[in-house]
């Protein structure tokens, strides 16, 4: 695939100071992104109590945001390549700030879900930031900057869960607690106008509006079908029809994208053993990474006197229980470059995904004591942090510099798509395998979810093992 023509964008700042700004301020934005993403997790049981949502409903709090992200990530990435990554970064931050405020003030569960949809561009921040870093820095410093961005994401995730849990304990009002991330995201909007430089190289072409519409409609169809399975069963027409329609629309989307000169998603770059296995691994990564967040929180919050499992933990206790995992995730992402430098990125990813599979297997067997799960969560956190640090570097080096926003968008999009699908499927499992009184998900439902997540991690390790690429070498253009 030939490189897209580029144009030179005016650069208001091209000095070393702007290079520091493009790393320092972007690290701040990614920290807030992590804070927002994981800060919601320990609060999910309380949100359900306030808005009358069931445990299976709460999985949709994660799923709808990922659905919006599945469309926003490639769209914003392509718009950034065409019109400037700084411009789209500002738009993303403003949209996320509006959605976060709506989540905090939502009078109903439906309005909260609308706010989560507006938070969809949250997933576009990292691809836009990576594109700015690649535009401003040579390969070596760019790799270190990307590692810092991922590290900031994991640190934000660590503090987000802990601070939000502590704030809920101190304030005693879930709405006031949710205003904390709202304030942080609102502050980021004016900060983005300070000294972040615009991209110097812009791609030519147009925005793929048909691709955006087809992808969005396909995602909606698939998730509508999955959501109906909880009530209707998997073989019912209200389930099969939208899933079938979504599958057809995905096929049409693929055909359209392969024919376009300026596609929304560069599907041609996903072909071949040099890159396709990494994208498959990214999809599976999204399944176990995003799909397990809400179920883990509701399991820990469950009262064993009523359900026969769980630990009846508060939001703060959930945050503290997951703290070892968050700390180890920061350690894993921080050590990514050093570990991958010795073993190679492919072996590092295989090892990380294998550890993830073993961790979920441990959850399925050892979940009767909180310390067992917390210890396992630490191992899981390290493995996830290592994978999060390695995957973007592998993928971004396969793309052309002028289309780096789209290249990272493809990775983030397939990972997000995996999470969106997992959110719907896992919600259906939790709503189907119930306790004897039919009031809550049964213990067996959680065991099934952990086993599925572990199987996905093993499959991801196998996909990476099949990849064929020289370390550090980009995939040849097709």
């Amino acid at each position: 695939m030939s490189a897209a023509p580029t144009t030179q964008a005016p650069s208001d700042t091209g000095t070393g100071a702007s290079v520091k700004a493009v790393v320092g301020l972007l690290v701040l934005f990614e920290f807030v992104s992590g804070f927002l993403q994981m800060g919601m997790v320990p609060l999910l049981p309380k949100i359900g109590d306030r808005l009358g949502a069931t445990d299976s409903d709460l999985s949709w709090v994660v799923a709808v945001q990922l659905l919006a992200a599945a469309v926003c990530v490639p769209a914003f990435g392509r718009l950034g390549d065409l019109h400037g990554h700084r411009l789209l970064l500002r738009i993303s931050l403003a949209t996320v700030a509006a959605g976060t405020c709506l989540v905090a003030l939502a009078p109903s569960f439906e309005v909260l879900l609308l706010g989560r949809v507006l938070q969809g561009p949250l997933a576009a921040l990292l691809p836009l930031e990576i594109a700015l870093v690649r535009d401003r820095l040579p390969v070596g410093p760019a790799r270190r900057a990307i590692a810092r961005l991922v590290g900031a994401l994991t640190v934000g995730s660590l503090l987000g869960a802990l601070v939000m849990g502590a704030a809920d304990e101190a304030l005693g009002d879930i709405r006031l607690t949710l205003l904390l991330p709202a304030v942080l995201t609102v502050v980021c909007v004016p900060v983005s106008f300070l000294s972040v430089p615009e991209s110097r190289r812009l791609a030519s072409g147009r925005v793929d509006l048909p691709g955006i519409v087809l992808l969005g409609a396909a995602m909606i169809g698939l998730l509508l079908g999955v959501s109906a399975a909880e009530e209707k069963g998997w073989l019912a027409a209200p389930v099969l029809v939208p899933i079938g329609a979504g599958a057809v629309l995905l096929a049409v989307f693929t055909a359209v994208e392969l024919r376009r000169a300026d596609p929304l998603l560069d599907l041609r770059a996903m072909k071949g053993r040099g890159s396709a296995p990494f994208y498959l691994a990214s999809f599976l990564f999204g399944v176990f990474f995003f799909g397990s967040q809400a179920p883990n929180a509701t399991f820990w919050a469950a009262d064993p006197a009523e359900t026969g499992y769980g630990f009846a933990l508060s939001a703060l206790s959930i945050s503290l229980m997951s703290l070892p995992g968050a700390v180890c995730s920061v350690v894993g992402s921080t050590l990514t470059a050093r570990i991958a430098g010795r073993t190679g990125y492919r072996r590092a990813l295989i090892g990380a995904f294998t550890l993830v599979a073993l961790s979920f297997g441990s959850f399925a067997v050892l979940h009767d004591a909180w310390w067992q799960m917390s210890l396992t969560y630490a191992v899981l956190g390290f493995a996830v942090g290592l994978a999060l640090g390695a995957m973007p570097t592998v993928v971004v080096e396969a793309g052309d510099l002028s289309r780096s926003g789209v290249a990272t968008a493809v990775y983030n999009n397939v990972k997000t798509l995996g999470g969106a699908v997992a959110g719907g499927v896992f919600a259906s499992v939790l709503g189907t395998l119930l306790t004897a009184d039919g009031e809550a998900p049964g213990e067996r439902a959680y065991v099934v979810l952990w086993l599925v997540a572990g199987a996905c991690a093993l499959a991801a390790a196998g996909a990476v093992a099949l990849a064929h690429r020289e370390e550090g070498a980009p995939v040849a253009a097709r």
Side-chain angles (χ1 to χ4, degrees), residues 213-226 236-254:
V213 173
L214 284 170
L215 180 61
M219 294 300 97
I220 291 173
L222 290 173
L223 287 185
L224 283 177
V226 170
V239 175
L240 296 178
V241 170
I243 288 179
V248 170
L249 287 172
L250 273 182
V252 174
F253 169 77
T254 300

mmCIF file of all heavy atoms in Angstrom, residues 213-226 236-254:
data_model
loop_
_atom_site.group_PDB
_atom_site.id
_atom_site.type_symbol
_atom_site.label_atom_id
_atom_site.label_comp_id
_atom_site.label_asym_id
_atom_site.label_seq_id
_atom_site.Cartn_x
_atom_site.Cartn_y
_atom_site.Cartn_z
ATOM 1 N N VAL A 213 -20.712 5.398 9.007
ATOM 2 C CA VAL A 213 -22.120 5.000 9.138
ATOM 3 C C VAL A 213 -22.253 3.480 9.191
ATOM 4 O O VAL A 213 -22.977 2.925 10.036
ATOM 5 C CB VAL A 213 -22.945 5.574 7.974
ATOM 6 C CG1 VAL A 213 -24.373 5.024 8.004
ATOM 7 C CG2 VAL A 213 -22.977 7.093 8.047
ATOM 8 N N LEU A 214 -21.547 2.783 8.299
ATOM 9 C CA LEU A 214 -21.644 1.319 8.259
ATOM 10 C C LEU A 214 -21.101 0.692 9.541
ATOM 11 O O LEU A 214 -21.710 -0.231 10.097
ATOM 12 C CB LEU A 214 -20.883 0.787 7.053
ATOM 13 C CG LEU A 214 -21.557 0.958 5.686
ATOM 14 C CD1 LEU A 214 -20.586 0.606 4.558
ATOM 15 C CD2 LEU A 214 -22.799 0.069 5.595
ATOM 16 N N LEU A 215 -19.964 1.173 10.006
ATOM 17 C CA LEU A 215 -19.378 0.611 11.223
ATOM 18 C C LEU A 215 -20.277 0.871 12.432
ATOM 19 O O LEU A 215 -20.519 -0.028 13.243
ATOM 20 C CB LEU A 215 -17.989 1.209 11.463
ATOM 21 C CG LEU A 215 -17.245 0.706 12.704
ATOM 22 C CD1 LEU A 215 -17.016 -0.796 12.628
ATOM 23 C CD2 LEU A 215 -15.918 1.445 12.877
ATOM 24 N N GLY A 216 -20.790 2.095 12.539
ATOM 25 C CA GLY A 216 -21.672 2.412 13.656
ATOM 26 C C GLY A 216 -22.934 1.569 13.643
ATOM 27 O O GLY A 216 -23.355 1.032 14.675
ATOM 28 N N ALA A 217 -23.556 1.412 12.462
ATOM 29 C CA ALA A 217 -24.780 0.609 12.356
ATOM 30 C C ALA A 217 -24.505 -0.862 12.668
ATOM 31 O O ALA A 217 -25.318 -1.531 13.311
ATOM 32 C CB ALA A 217 -25.366 0.746 10.953
ATOM 33 N N ALA A 218 -23.352 -1.370 12.222
ATOM 34 C CA ALA A 218 -23.002 -2.765 12.496
ATOM 35 C C ALA A 218 -22.825 -2.998 13.991
ATOM 36 O O ALA A 218 -23.309 -3.994 14.539
ATOM 37 C CB ALA A 218 -21.729 -3.142 11.739
ATOM 38 N N MET A 219 -22.143 -2.083 14.666
ATOM 39 C CA MET A 219 -21.922 -2.223 16.110
ATOM 40 C C MET A 219 -23.244 -2.168 16.881
ATOM 41 O O MET A 219 -23.475 -2.934 17.816
ATOM 42 C CB MET A 219 -20.994 -1.116 16.619
ATOM 43 C CG MET A 219 -19.571 -1.165 16.085
ATOM 44 S SD MET A 219 -18.714 -2.697 16.518
ATOM 45 C CE MET A 219 -18.963 -3.658 15.034
ATOM 46 N N ILE A 220 -24.120 -1.261 16.471
ATOM 47 C CA ILE A 220 -25.422 -1.151 17.136
ATOM 48 C C ILE A 220 -26.226 -2.436 16.942
ATOM 49 O O ILE A 220 -26.840 -2.955 17.880
ATOM 50 C CB ILE A 220 -26.193 0.061 16.592
ATOM 51 C CG1 ILE A 220 -25.509 1.357 17.044
ATOM 52 C CG2 ILE A 220 -27.646 0.041 17.077
ATOM 53 C CD1 ILE A 220 -26.089 2.602 16.419
ATOM 54 N N GLY A 221 -26.230 -2.977 15.731
ATOM 55 C CA GLY A 221 -26.960 -4.212 15.463
ATOM 56 C C GLY A 221 -26.459 -5.373 16.302
ATOM 57 O O GLY A 221 -27.245 -6.111 16.906
ATOM 58 N N LEU A 222 -25.148 -5.529 16.369
ATOM 59 C CA LEU A 222 -24.572 -6.631 17.142
ATOM 60 C C LEU A 222 -24.907 -6.514 18.627
ATOM 61 O O LEU A 222 -25.310 -7.496 19.260
ATOM 62 C CB LEU A 222 -23.052 -6.659 16.943
ATOM 63 C CG LEU A 222 -22.550 -7.092 15.559
ATOM 64 C CD1 LEU A 222 -21.044 -6.901 15.458
ATOM 65 C CD2 LEU A 222 -22.917 -8.538 15.276
ATOM 66 N N LEU A 223 -24.776 -5.322 19.170
ATOM 67 C CA LEU A 223 -25.018 -5.171 20.600
ATOM 68 C C LEU A 223 -26.502 -5.219 20.947
ATOM 69 O O LEU A 223 -26.869 -5.678 22.030
ATOM 70 C CB LEU A 223 -24.403 -3.865 21.098
ATOM 71 C CG LEU A 223 -22.875 -3.863 21.188
ATOM 72 C CD1 LEU A 223 -22.372 -2.567 21.794
ATOM 73 C CD2 LEU A 223 -22.351 -5.037 21.986
ATOM 74 N N LEU A 224 -27.373 -4.767 20.038
ATOM 75 C CA LEU A 224 -28.808 -4.907 20.277
ATOM 76 C C LEU A 224 -29.194 -6.385 20.359
ATOM 77 O O LEU A 224 -29.987 -6.794 21.211
ATOM 78 C CB LEU A 224 -29.606 -4.216 19.169
ATOM 79 C CG LEU A 224 -29.704 -2.690 19.233
ATOM 80 C CD1 LEU A 224 -30.461 -2.163 18.026
ATOM 81 C CD2 LEU A 224 -30.363 -2.241 20.530
ATOM 82 N N GLY A 225 -28.614 -7.188 19.465
ATOM 83 C CA GLY A 225 -28.900 -8.614 19.489
ATOM 84 C C GLY A 225 -28.388 -9.275 20.747
ATOM 85 O O GLY A 225 -29.096 -10.066 21.383
ATOM 86 N N VAL A 226 -27.174 -8.942 21.141
ATOM 87 C CA VAL A 226 -26.594 -9.540 22.340
ATOM 88 C C VAL A 226 -27.386 -9.140 23.586
ATOM 89 O O VAL A 226 -27.638 -9.949 24.472
ATOM 90 C CB VAL A 226 -25.112 -9.123 22.480
ATOM 91 C CG1 VAL A 226 -24.563 -9.528 23.830
ATOM 92 C CG2 VAL A 226 -24.287 -9.762 21.371
ATOM 93 N N ALA A 236 -33.735 -16.784 19.645
ATOM 94 C CA ALA A 236 -34.956 -16.029 19.357
ATOM 95 C C ALA A 236 -34.711 -15.040 18.216
ATOM 96 O O ALA A 236 -33.590 -14.552 18.013
ATOM 97 C CB ALA A 236 -35.425 -15.289 20.599
ATOM 98 N N ALA A 237 -35.774 -14.738 17.479
ATOM 99 C CA ALA A 237 -35.672 -13.811 16.348
ATOM 100 C C ALA A 237 -35.164 -12.432 16.752
ATOM 101 O O ALA A 237 -34.342 -11.839 16.029
ATOM 102 C CB ALA A 237 -37.029 -13.695 15.652
ATOM 103 N N PRO A 238 -35.623 -11.851 17.896
ATOM 104 C CA PRO A 238 -35.102 -10.529 18.280
ATOM 105 C C PRO A 238 -33.601 -10.514 18.556
ATOM 106 O O PRO A 238 -33.008 -9.442 18.658
ATOM 107 C CB PRO A 238 -35.897 -10.216 19.565
ATOM 108 C CG PRO A 238 -37.137 -11.025 19.475
ATOM 109 C CD PRO A 238 -36.706 -12.300 18.798
ATOM 110 N N VAL A 239 -33.012 -11.696 18.692
ATOM 111 C CA VAL A 239 -31.566 -11.801 18.892
ATOM 112 C C VAL A 239 -30.859 -12.071 17.567
ATOM 113 O O VAL A 239 -29.901 -11.392 17.191
ATOM 114 C CB VAL A 239 -31.226 -12.914 19.910
ATOM 115 C CG1 VAL A 239 -29.720 -13.110 20.021
ATOM 116 C CG2 VAL A 239 -31.822 -12.585 21.261
ATOM 117 N N LEU A 240 -31.356 -13.056 16.834
ATOM 118 C CA LEU A 240 -30.691 -13.475 15.594
ATOM 119 C C LEU A 240 -30.771 -12.418 14.494
ATOM 120 O O LEU A 240 -29.811 -12.237 13.729
ATOM 121 C CB LEU A 240 -31.301 -14.790 15.104
ATOM 122 C CG LEU A 240 -31.100 -16.004 16.022
ATOM 123 C CD1 LEU A 240 -31.796 -17.227 15.438
ATOM 124 C CD2 LEU A 240 -29.615 -16.281 16.222
ATOM 125 N N VAL A 241 -31.903 -11.715 14.407
ATOM 126 C CA VAL A 241 -32.076 -10.738 13.324
ATOM 127 C C VAL A 241 -31.081 -9.578 13.445
ATOM 128 O O VAL A 241 -30.357 -9.281 12.485
ATOM 129 C CB VAL A 241 -33.531 -10.232 13.266
ATOM 130 C CG1 VAL A 241 -33.639 -9.043 12.301
ATOM 131 C CG2 VAL A 241 -34.461 -11.346 12.828
ATOM 132 N N PRO A 242 -31.005 -8.884 14.604
ATOM 133 C CA PRO A 242 -30.024 -7.791 14.675
ATOM 134 C C PRO A 242 -28.575 -8.260 14.604
ATOM 135 O O PRO A 242 -27.728 -7.580 14.023
ATOM 136 C CB PRO A 242 -30.322 -7.125 16.026
ATOM 137 C CG PRO A 242 -31.107 -8.118 16.802
ATOM 138 C CD PRO A 242 -31.847 -8.940 15.809
ATOM 139 N N ILE A 243 -28.288 -9.450 15.175
ATOM 140 C CA ILE A 243 -26.915 -9.964 15.064
ATOM 141 C C ILE A 243 -26.580 -10.277 13.610
ATOM 142 O O ILE A 243 -25.495 -9.956 13.116
ATOM 143 C CB ILE A 243 -26.733 -11.213 15.953
ATOM 144 C CG1 ILE A 243 -26.712 -10.814 17.430
ATOM 145 C CG2 ILE A 243 -25.436 -11.954 15.594
ATOM 146 C CD1 ILE A 243 -26.551 -11.976 18.392
ATOM 147 N N GLY A 244 -27.523 -10.897 12.907
ATOM 148 C CA GLY A 244 -27.309 -11.177 11.490
ATOM 149 C C GLY A 244 -27.141 -9.908 10.685
ATOM 150 O O GLY A 244 -26.269 -9.820 9.801
ATOM 151 N N ALA A 245 -27.985 -8.901 10.978
ATOM 152 C CA ALA A 245 -27.869 -7.632 10.267
ATOM 153 C C ALA A 245 -26.522 -6.971 10.553
ATOM 154 O O ALA A 245 -25.881 -6.421 9.646
ATOM 155 C CB ALA A 245 -29.013 -6.702 10.682
ATOM 156 N N GLY A 246 -26.083 -7.039 11.811
ATOM 157 C CA GLY A 246 -24.789 -6.470 12.155
ATOM 158 C C GLY A 246 -23.648 -7.170 11.439
ATOM 159 O O GLY A 246 -22.707 -6.520 10.965
ATOM 160 N N ALA A 247 -23.738 -8.497 11.331
ATOM 161 C CA ALA A 247 -22.699 -9.261 10.629
ATOM 162 C C ALA A 247 -22.664 -8.895 9.148
ATOM 163 O O ALA A 247 -21.590 -8.734 8.550
ATOM 164 C CB ALA A 247 -22.943 -10.755 10.810
ATOM 165 N N VAL A 248 -23.849 -8.742 8.542
ATOM 166 C CA VAL A 248 -23.916 -8.359 7.121
ATOM 167 C C VAL A 248 -23.327 -6.964 6.920
ATOM 168 O O VAL A 248 -22.560 -6.718 5.974
ATOM 169 C CB VAL A 248 -25.371 -8.413 6.616
ATOM 170 C CG1 VAL A 248 -25.476 -7.779 5.236
ATOM 171 C CG2 VAL A 248 -25.864 -9.848 6.584
ATOM 172 N N LEU A 249 -23.683 -6.039 7.808
ATOM 173 C CA LEU A 249 -23.150 -4.682 7.697
ATOM 174 C C LEU A 249 -21.633 -4.651 7.873
ATOM 175 O O LEU A 249 -20.939 -3.873 7.212
ATOM 176 C CB LEU A 249 -23.823 -3.788 8.737
ATOM 177 C CG LEU A 249 -25.282 -3.412 8.449
ATOM 178 C CD1 LEU A 249 -25.892 -2.700 9.653
ATOM 179 C CD2 LEU A 249 -25.369 -2.523 7.210
ATOM 180 N N LEU A 250 -21.110 -5.512 8.747
ATOM 181 C CA LEU A 250 -19.651 -5.602 8.892
ATOM 182 C C LEU A 250 -19.001 -6.102 7.610
ATOM 183 O O LEU A 250 -17.936 -5.625 7.211
ATOM 184 C CB LEU A 250 -19.295 -6.526 10.062
ATOM 185 C CG LEU A 250 -19.215 -5.918 11.458
ATOM 186 C CD1 LEU A 250 -18.813 -6.976 12.466
ATOM 187 C CD2 LEU A 250 -18.230 -4.752 11.497
ATOM 188 N N ALA A 251 -19.657 -7.076 6.955
ATOM 189 C CA ALA A 251 -19.134 -7.585 5.687
ATOM 190 C C ALA A 251 -19.150 -6.498 4.619
ATOM 191 O O ALA A 251 -18.194 -6.337 3.844
ATOM 192 C CB ALA A 251 -19.948 -8.796 5.235
ATOM 193 N N VAL A 252 -20.251 -5.736 4.572
ATOM 194 C CA VAL A 252 -20.343 -4.628 3.614
ATOM 195 C C VAL A 252 -19.287 -3.578 3.933
ATOM 196 O O VAL A 252 -18.628 -3.041 3.034
ATOM 197 C CB VAL A 252 -21.754 -4.015 3.644
ATOM 198 C CG1 VAL A 252 -21.806 -2.769 2.752
ATOM 199 C CG2 VAL A 252 -22.793 -5.024 3.190
ATOM 200 N N PHE A 253 -19.138 -3.277 5.212
ATOM 201 C CA PHE A 253 -18.117 -2.312 5.636
ATOM 202 C C PHE A 253 -16.728 -2.750 5.174
ATOM 203 O O PHE A 253 -15.950 -1.936 4.652
ATOM 204 C CB PHE A 253 -18.156 -2.183 7.163
ATOM 205 C CG PHE A 253 -17.000 -1.428 7.753
ATOM 206 C CD1 PHE A 253 -16.953 -0.049 7.691
ATOM 207 C CD2 PHE A 253 -15.951 -2.101 8.380
ATOM 208 C CE1 PHE A 253 -15.883 0.649 8.243
ATOM 209 C CE2 PHE A 253 -14.890 -1.411 8.927
ATOM 210 C CZ PHE A 253 -14.849 -0.035 8.851
ATOM 211 N N THR A 254 -16.416 -4.040 5.356
ATOM 212 C CA THR A 254 -15.109 -4.558 4.936
ATOM 213 C C THR A 254 -14.913 -4.402 3.433
ATOM 214 O O THR A 254 -13.849 -3.954 2.970
ATOM 215 C CB THR A 254 -14.983 -6.040 5.330
ATOM 216 O OG1 THR A 254 -15.116 -6.169 6.746
ATOM 217 C CG2 THR A 254 -13.639 -6.596 4.892
#
